[in-house]
């Protein structure tokens, strides 16, 4: 069996590093070529099969060189939380460049990390299934981009020989993925919420950071479990298609607040809704503010397809993933109730 050559955009991110580590361990993978913008040393991370080159997904020539000779192309480069039009270019144009280069270079498979956000937080009385529409949420740029990129992928791969595995993880956490703590707006904003929003939530300036808790459950998934799912796509397990990814169990913002030593303030859905409307109208980091949409109603996915077809067995549940994330953030001294 000839071993796979795998090209990866965004190998240095929160998902990228655990994923390349998992690929590096795979007998089916012979060579990994990663590309992102900043300098990075794969040897220092023990990646014996990996080469790294600096490059931007907006530069078509760099993307074409990355994909040349690759059996599988994995697209992870994306801007998740950003406040500029640059994120739109990177997310949409960058993805198009990668998908077109994968097809043009004759890659057998394309693996793309989409997101639960692609569904656009639909109001359902059941868990979200892969066949539900990935139509995005109009008020949330990230959700919109994720939906647009999935539809772009369908267009570019239509009639192509390249098969696509599209993964839709919920929030990814774990010791190497502190985005939940460092980037999700309410945590990060602690003291920075605009006055009207703070008073709406009953917050006292200077007091312990508060997290408004609408009591809405959400899912988490450990980065190492996302890595094994993506790797199943790389080696072509099961069949191509879309796969939801989430660990067993759910948490609420209240659980997150308790883990961080913050104060959880229960807020009814009405207040979250009013807050969402308010921040939508403020010139206040609109991309970040839009994440509030994610907390307005439960967005829980059914993950049985990945378990059945890819034989995906997540090793970490939501509660242990949260605990590991907060412990790592505390150890790094980044956050953790110290603000
Ligand atoms: N983390 C989550 O909770 C989560 C959940 C669901 C889905 N996802 C999806 O999973 C994928 C990976 O997410 P992540 O958490 O690993 O993101 P991340 O930690 O922000 O990493 C992003 C990666 O992309 C690279 N990158 C960004 N812009 C680039 C550009 N213009 N050209 C080349 N490389 C670029 C970054 O390196 P440089 O900055 O050095 O270029 C980095 O390697 C994304 O598509 C994301 O939407 C993530």
């Amino acid at each position: 069996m000839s071993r796979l050559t795998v090209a990866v955009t965004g190998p240095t991110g929160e998902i990228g590093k655990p994923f390349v580590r998992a690929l590096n361990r795979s007998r089916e993978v012979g060579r990994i070529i990663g590309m992102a913008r900043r300098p990075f040393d794969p040897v220092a991370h023990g990646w014996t099969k990996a080469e790294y080159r600096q490059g931007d997904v907006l530069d078509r020539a760099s993307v074409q060189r990355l994909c040349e000779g690759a059996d599988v192309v994995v697209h992870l480069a994306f801007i998740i939380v950003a406040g500029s039009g640059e994120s739109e270019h990177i997310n949409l144009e960058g993805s198009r460049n990668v998908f077109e280069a994968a097809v043009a270079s004759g890659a057998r498979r394309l693996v793309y990390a989409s997101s639960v956000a692609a569904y656009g937080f639909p109001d359902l009385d059941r868990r979200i299934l892969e066949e539900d529409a990935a139509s995005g949420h109009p008020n949330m740029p990230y959700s919109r981009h994720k939906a647009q990129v999935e539809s772009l992928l369908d267009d570019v791969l239509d009639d192509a020989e390249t098969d696509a595995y599209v993964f839709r993880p919920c929030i990814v956490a774990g010791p190497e993925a502190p985005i939940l703590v460092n980037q999700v707006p309410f945590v990060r904003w602690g003291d920075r919420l605009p006055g009207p929003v703070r008073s709406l939530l009953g917050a006292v300036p200077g007091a312990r950071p508060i997290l408004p808790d609408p009591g809405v459950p959400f899912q988490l998934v450990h980065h190492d479990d996302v890595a094994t799912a993506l790797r199943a796509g790389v080696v072509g397990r099961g069949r191509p298609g879309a796969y939801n990814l989430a660990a067993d169990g759910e948490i609420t913002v209240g659980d997150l607040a308790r883990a961080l030593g913050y104060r959880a303030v229960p807020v009814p859905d009405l207040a979250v809704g009013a807050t969402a409307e308010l921040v939508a109208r403020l010139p206040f980091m609109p991309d970040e503010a839009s994440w509030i949409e994610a907390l307005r109603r439960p967005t829980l996915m059914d993950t049985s397809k990945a378990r059945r077809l890819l034989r995906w067995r997540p090793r970490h549940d939501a509660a242990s993933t949260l605990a590991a994330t907060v412990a790592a953030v505390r150890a790094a001294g980044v956050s953790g109730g110290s603000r």
Side-chain angles (χ1 to χ4, degrees):
M1 179 196 73
S2 70
R3 294 183 176 204
L4 298 169
T5 294
V6 185
V8 185
T9 70
T12 58
E14 294 194 347
I15 294 179
K17 283 189 201 144
F19 167 63
V20 174
R21 207 161 55 223
L23 278 190
N24 203 72
R25 285 195 302 266
S26 170
R27 271 183 292 126
E28 286 133 304
V29 172
R31 183 174 173 223
I32 306 158
I33 310 141
M35 186 184 89
R37 294 166 302 179
R38 283 169 284 180
F40 179 80
D41 179 9
V43 176
H45 287 77
W47 297 357
T48 50
K49 297 177 187 170
E51 297 147 42
Y52 177 78
R53 55 182 75 153
Q54 280 179 257
D56 194 314
V57 289
L58 289 174
D59 175 26
R60 288 178 69 92
S62 300
V63 176
Q64 272 158 11
R65 277 196 299 277
L66 174 75
C67 295
E68 262 162 32
D71 300 297
V72 185
V73 173
V74 182
H75 181 41
L76 303 177
F78 219 83
I79 304 297
I80 300 179
V81 183
S84 74
E86 192 211 10
S87 62
E88 183 157 337
H89 285 301
I90 293 175
N91 293 349
L92 303 185
E93 259 174 71
S95 296
R96 176 183 288 280
N97 289 343
V98 175
F99 300 160
E100 289 181 349
V103 170
S105 66
R108 273 188 256 170
R109 282 184 288 282
L110 177 70
V111 175
Y112 167 58
S114 185
S115 163
V116 61
Y119 291 114
F121 314 103
D123 201 358
L124 301 175
D125 54 7
R126 57 163 174 79
R127 287 181 181 244
I128 302 173
L129 295 164
E130 285 83 351
E131 54 262 37
D132 287 318
S135 41
H137 193 289
N139 295 344
M140 183 181 186
Y142 177 68
S143 166
R144 238 177 26 235
H145 294 169
K146 281 299 186 193
Q148 286 171 288
V149 170
E150 284 207 24
S151 127
L152 176 72
L153 183 141
D154 285 345
D155 289 349
V156 175
L157 266 65
D158 191 35
D159 289 337
E161 298 288 305
T162 309
D163 287 331
Y165 282 76
V166 174
F167 291 93
R168 297 180 182 145
C170 60
I171 296 175
V172 178
E176 294 169 64
I179 192 171
L180 172 70
V181 176
N182 293 340
Q183 290 286 332
V184 171
F186 283 143
V187 179
R188 194 166 160 217
W189 293 347
D191 301 322
R192 296 165 50 207
L193 290 167
V197 178
R198 288 185 67 84
S199 47
L200 193 63
L201 298 170
V204 182
R208 201 151 53 112
I210 54 142
L211 291 185
D213 181 16
V216 170
F218 61 93
Q219 292 169 310
L220 289 183
V221 64
H222 194 287
H223 47 67
D224 288 345
D225 290 324
V226 175
T228 56
L230 294 174
R231 187 177 62 186
V234 166
V235 301
R237 202 181 291 164
R239 59 166 188 253
Y243 291 95
N244 293 340
L245 298 179
D248 287 325
E250 292 133 30
I251 62 165
T252 64
V253 172
D255 296 320
L256 176 60
R258 276 184 289 281
L260 287 165
Y262 288 7
R263 192 161 65 89
V265 180
V267 286
D269 180 59
L270 186 65
V272 179
T275 309
E277 302 307 331
L278 187 59
V279 294
R281 277 186 269 116
L282 286 170
F284 173 73
M285 294 188 287
D287 280 12
E288 291 182 329
S290 67
W291 280 83
I292 201 167
E293 287 298 342
L295 298 175
R296 292 179 78 166
R297 59 186 79 88
T299 305
L300 302 175
M301 293 183 293
D302 181 305
T303 60
S304 51
K305 184 179 172 194
R307 292 167 200 253
R308 198 173 65 249
L309 296 185
L310 304 181
R311 301 192 304 279
W312 182 59
R313 302 283 178 268
R315 295 180 54 217
H316 307 266
D317 65 14
S320 65
T321 301
L322 172 64
T325 312
V326 172
V329 169
R330 279 190 200 289
V334 178
S335 184
S338 57
R339 291 185 306 171

